[in-house]
Amino acid sequence: MKICVMPGDGIGPEIMKQGLKVLEVIGEKFNHSFDVTEALIGGVAIDETGVPLPDTTVAICKDSDAVLLGAVGGPKWDTIDPSIRPERGLLGIRKELALFANLRPASLFPQLKDACFLRPDIVDKGIDVMVVRELTGGIYFGEPRGTTVENGERVGFNTMIYREHEIKRIAIVAFEAARKRDKRVCSVDKANVLDVSRVWREIVIEVAADYPDVELTHMYVDNAAMQLVRDPSQFDVIVTGNLFGDILSDEAAVITGSIGMLPSASLGENNPGLFEPIHGSAPDIAGHDKANPLATILSIAMMLRYSFDLTVEAECIEAAVEKTLSQGLRTGDIMDEGGKLVGCIEMGEAVLANI
Ligand code: IPM
Ligand code: MG
C-alpha cells in the first residue's frame, strides 16, 4: 500500500509524526506493509521550490494508493503573490486528483461532552453529522475570477457555478452515505437568492428519486448555520457546495468540542483518496508541542477504511482514540475540568499504547 505523505506547514509536521507512528504500529499489529513517501506542499514547497504544488508532488500523489496531508499556510506566506499562496497547493492537488467529494464526519465523543460549547440539554440529544462538501467546483474554481480596476476603483470577483454532472455526482455520494447512516439528507443552498442554487436544488431532487428510502430536505445556508448550533441532532447527512461546505464543516466541527478532532476524506473516481484533518496549520501553536494529533490519527483511520477496506484496523484506531479520551488525556483545545493536559507527543503515545 503506497501512501504519499505531505506534512505541510505549521503544526502539520508534528501531528503527522504522531499519525505515522500510529500507522506503523497498525502495520506491525495486523501485518501490513505501508510504503510511505514524503512530498512537499504549501509554504514549505514554496520555500524549497518556488511553487506550492511542485510537479514531483503531483506525480508522487498520482502514483500512490492514498494521500495523507497535514495542513498548509501561515503568516510567513500571507503577503506572497496570491497565485502561489500555500492554499493554492491544497486546491491544486484536490483538482489534480479530481477529488470532488469531501466527507467530513462531525460526531460528539461522549468523553468530550464537557468541552462542548453548546448547552448540556442540546448536547444530550447527540451530534452525529456527516457534511458532504463538493470540493472541486463552485466559487472556489469558477471562472471568470480576478481583480481589476474599473472607473478608478479596485474590483474583485469570483463566479459561483455548478454544472449538472457536478451536482449529480456529489448528490449520489450523499445519498449513498445516508443509506449507511440514518437515511436523511439535508441539501443546503441559497435558492432564495442564487440561480446556481436553484439548479442545485432541482438536480438534487431528481437524484433523490433513485433513493426513495432516504428522506430529503432542503435548507437555506443561513438557516442551516443557525440550526447547527440550535439543534444539531436534527441533521444526519448535509450535502452542499464548496464554499457553504467549508463554512458549515468548521461549525459542525467546533460544536463537537474542538476543530482539532475532525478528520476528513476527499474522494474522486479513479484516483487515490486524500485524507486530512479539517483544522488548519495553527501557526500560533506550531512547534510548541500543543497541537491535537487526534484529527490526523482519525484521518488515518478513514484512509484505512475508504482506500484500503481495512475496517477492523480503522476501528482499532478509533477505539484507541476513545480509550485515550476516556483516560482523561486532553490537549489544550479539548481541555475540561478534571482532564489531564498533555502535549501532541504524549497524546500520540497514549493512542499508540492503547492500540
Ligand atoms: C479546508 C480549508 C481549505 C479550504 C483552505 C486551506 C484552502 O479551509 O480544507 O476547509 O478552504 O478548502
Ligand atoms: Mg475550511
Side-chain angles (χ1 to χ4, degrees):
M1 286 167 269
K2 284 206 277 193
I3 301 168
C4 174
V5 173
M6 306 190 286
D9 308 318
I11 59 171
E14 45 194 300
I15 53 177
M16 192 55 78
K17 204 165 169 183
Q18 300 311 312
L20 290 179
K21 284 201 286 190
V22 166
L23 185 66
E24 197 182 311
V25 166
I26 287 288
E28 283 163 16
K29 185 178 164 92
F30 293 93
N31 222 349
H32 300 301
S33 95
F34 299 108
D35 178 1
V36 171
T37 308
E38 274 213 20
L40 294 171
I41 195 167
V44 283
I46 297 172
D47 288 349
E48 286 204 26
T49 70
V51 291
L53 185 64
D55 293 344
T56 45
T57 295
V58 176
I60 296 170
C61 286
K62 286 190 171 164
D63 186 44
S64 304
D65 301 307
V67 180
L68 277 176
L69 180 101
V72 296
K76 181 175 175 195
W77 305 280
D78 265 352
T79 49
I80 211 161
D81 175 355
S83 70
I84 58 160
R85 275 185 74 96
E87 289 81 359
R88 280 293 180 100
L90 180 54
L91 299 177
I93 196 66
R94 288 172 179 169
K95 198 74 174 174
E96 284 282 346
L97 299 177
L99 305 169
F100 67 87
N102 187 211
L103 309 184
R104 300 190 158 186
S107 58
L108 183 73
F109 287 90
Q111 296 91 338
L112 295 184
K113 256 172 71 171
D114 297 334
C116 187
F117 301 104
L118 301 180
R119 251 180 17 223
D121 60 306
I122 297 175
V123 180
D124 280 342
K125 293 202 266 176
I127 305 175
D128 187 4
V129 185
M130 169 75 90
V131 178
V132 176
R133 168 189 177 193
E134 198 290 325
L135 202 60
T136 50
I139 197 165
Y140 269 56
F141 293 94
E143 300 280 348
R145 63 186 294 166
T147 53
T148 181
V149 177
E150 271 172 24
N151 305 323
E153 65 171 350
R154 284 161 293 177
V155 178
F157 57 98
N158 290 84
T159 303
M160 192 185 269
I161 177 167
Y162 270 115
R163 296 193 161 73
E164 185 169 349
H165 74 276
E166 295 174 308
I167 301 166
K168 222 175 196 163
R169 65 186 182 185
I170 194 70
I172 291 172
V173 170
F175 284 106
E176 291 290 336
R179 268 199 175 149
K180 295 189 190 137
R181 299 169 45 97
D182 203 36
K183 300 191 169 53
R184 291 181 291 128
V185 169
C186 178
S187 172
V188 171
D189 61 34
K190 189 72 187 171
N192 51 345
V193 178
L194 303 176
D195 298 294
V196 57
S197 284
R198 284 192 277 273
V199 174
W200 175 281
R201 191 176 281 216
E202 202 175 286
I203 291 167
V204 171
I205 290 171
E206 282 167 23
V207 173
D210 294 333
Y211 297 87
D213 52 322
V214 178
E215 175 199 285
L216 172 65
T217 54
H218 304 273
M219 210 179 265
Y220 298 139
V221 62
D222 48 351
N223 186 26
M226 178 180 69
Q227 295 298 337
L228 255 180
V229 288
R230 204 189 64 82
D231 178 17
S233 75
Q234 69 186 284
F235 296 105
D236 178 26
V237 172
I238 290 178
V239 64
T240 190
N242 208 341
L243 179 63
F244 299 159
D246 177 46
I247 298 166
L248 293 180
S249 61
D250 268 25
E251 192 187 352
V254 83
I255 58 170
T256 67
S258 165
I259 190 167
M261 293 298 299
L262 221 86
S264 83
S266 304
L267 308 170
E269 243 135 53
N270 297 309
N271 276 318
L274 183 148
F275 302 84
E276 55 174 324
I278 87 147
H279 61 69
S281 56
D284 53 323
I285 57 164
H288 290 109
D289 190 32
K290 282 183 178 167
N292 184 349
L294 295 179
T296 304
I297 291 171
L298 292 168
S299 296
I300 290 176
M302 284 190 99
M303 173 184 80
L304 296 176
R305 181 175 285 121
Y306 287 100
S307 288
F308 303 128
D309 232 343
L310 298 175
T311 311
V312 174
E313 290 80 345
E315 282 168 358
C316 175
I317 293 178
E318 287 156 358
V321 167
E322 286 227 28
K323 186 162 174 203
T324 307
L325 294 174
S326 294
Q327 289 164 338
L329 274 69
R330 302 283 186 269
T331 41
D333 57 308
I334 49 173
M335 189 58 188
D336 51 15
E337 229 180 81
K340 177 180 182 242
L341 186 65
V342 297
C344 182
I345 297 172
E346 200 176 338
M347 184 63 106
E349 270 161 11
V351 174
L352 276 190
N354 287 328
I355 285 174

